Amino acid sequence: MQFTSSSIGRKILMAITGQAMVLFAVVHLLGNSSIFGWLNGGINAYAEHLHSLPLPIIIGFRLALLALVCVHIWFGIQLTLENRDARTKQYAVKSTQKTTFASENMIWTGSLIALFIVYHLAHFTFQVVNPETAALKNLVPLHNEMVPNVLGMVVAGFKNFFITFIYAGAMVALFLHLSHGIQSFFQTMGWSNDRSQPIIIRLGTLVALGLFLGYVIIPLTVFAGILKG
Ligand code: HEM
């Protein structure tokens, strides 16, 4: 594959925005894991901590996250179209880069994750999927105050087979996307060589697997009746 200087710029922007989102996914997972009780008050206390941050910080963080997602998607679509166009033209030198199912389907796994995020925001942030179990409508006591019942909302959601299925499917897409995306980041930044490449590929897959297992365990343990509200 041949890259022009503008497509290298796009690849670097994609790599950086992608890794910033991986960082978000790690922090979000650590926060969500409070559902297993390591934080006094569990996920309700964690959500309360987040919502007690100053409003400009919350809004600024959300806008920054939205900007990252938009840049990543915009350049992702452009690069995919560019790669397709290049494939239809004859090159004198053929690419020797190995392709995998994950690398060949980045646009599709990325699209599934984008659809999932829209659904996920409707579910847990705007709380319109199951309005009767919305955390904001069901307050519970925590440390002498009444707070939204995020635990009740999450557990009620994952008792439903279809919701659990959507989350588990989206986490498979996330695993595939990141198992290629993380190692691709190092390659794009020029931080890998023939010796380090196999290690980076394994580490990338390991991080993607860790995120997959960490995220999927929440809906699955609720659905199996192990994690209760
Ligand atoms: C089982 C898996 C997950 C659970 C239980 C979960 C839980 C939650 C909850 C409860 C909220 C609302 C936080 C609040 O405003 O109080 C939230 C927001 C959010 N989640 Fe997740 N989440 C999961 C997976 C994911 C994944 C895989 C992603 C994307 C990589 C993601 C991205 C987001 C985003 C972007 C927000 C909005 C953040 C904000 O409001 O500032 N979530 N999630």
Side-chain angles (χ1 to χ4, degrees):
M1 189 63 55
Q2 285 180 359
F3 288 110
T4 60
S5 57
S6 68
S7 83
I8 289 171
R10 285 202 283 268
K11 266 193 86 76
I12 290 177
L13 268 174
M14 280 207 71
I16 292 172
T17 51
Q19 282 330 288
M21 287 190 280
V22 170
L23 204 66
F24 167 79
V26 172
V27 174
H28 189 46
L29 177 57
L30 288 177
N32 287 347
S33 69
S34 61
I35 202 166
F36 294 111
W38 58 262
L39 180 71
N40 185 12
I43 199 167
N44 287 350
Y46 171 67
E48 199 46 31
H49 283 314
L50 284 186
H51 288 275
S52 59
L53 289 171
L55 195 60
I57 293 188
I58 298 179
I59 293 177
F61 173 78
R62 286 180 170 170
L63 288 179
L65 209 54
L66 184 66
L68 287 176
V69 172
C70 290
V71 170
H72 196 75
I73 292 176
W74 178 251
F75 289 121
I77 293 170
Q78 281 193 10
L79 273 170
T80 306
L81 294 177
E82 205 170 90
N83 288 352
R84 284 213 179 129
D85 190 44
R87 266 184 210 165
T88 56
K89 290 179 186 145
Q90 291 280 315
Y91 278 121
V93 181
K94 282 233 162 110
S95 168
T96 52
Q97 223 180 354
K98 270 192 207 151
T99 58
T100 59
F101 178 81
S103 72
E104 288 283 286
N105 290 287
M106 289 300 276
I107 189 78
W108 301 118
T109 50
S111 304
L112 283 176
I113 297 165
L115 283 177
F116 161 75
I117 289 175
V118 172
Y119 176 77
H120 182 54
L121 292 182
H123 191 193
F124 288 156
T125 298
F126 301 111
Q127 305 180 6
V128 292
V129 172
N130 285 324
E132 66 287 356
T133 60
L136 289 166
K137 282 193 199 156
N138 296 289
L139 303 186
V140 284
L142 174 84
H143 309 144
N144 301 325
E145 56 172 333
M146 297 303 279
V147 299
N149 187 6
V150 176
L151 174 65
M153 173 179 73
V154 171
V155 168
F158 295 145
K159 275 186 186 159
N160 179 303
F161 172 78
F162 290 105
I163 294 183
T164 297
F165 184 77
I166 288 171
Y167 273 75
M171 294 313 110
V172 173
L174 185 71
F175 166 72
L176 288 170
H177 202 76
L178 297 188
S179 66
H180 175 72
I182 294 173
Q183 57 112 345
S184 174
F185 166 75
F186 286 91
Q187 212 169 10
T188 302
M189 303 307 284
W191 295 340
S192 73
N193 53 39
D194 287 351
R195 262 186 64 193
S196 61
Q197 181 71 357
I199 302 167
I200 289 171
I201 290 176
R202 274 194 210 119
L203 277 179
T205 309
L206 210 66
V207 172
L209 189 66
L211 285 169
F212 166 74
L213 291 174
Y215 274 117
V216 88
I217 206 151
I218 300 174
L220 291 189
T221 49
V222 171
F223 190 69
I226 299 166
L227 184 61
K228 296 185 169 79

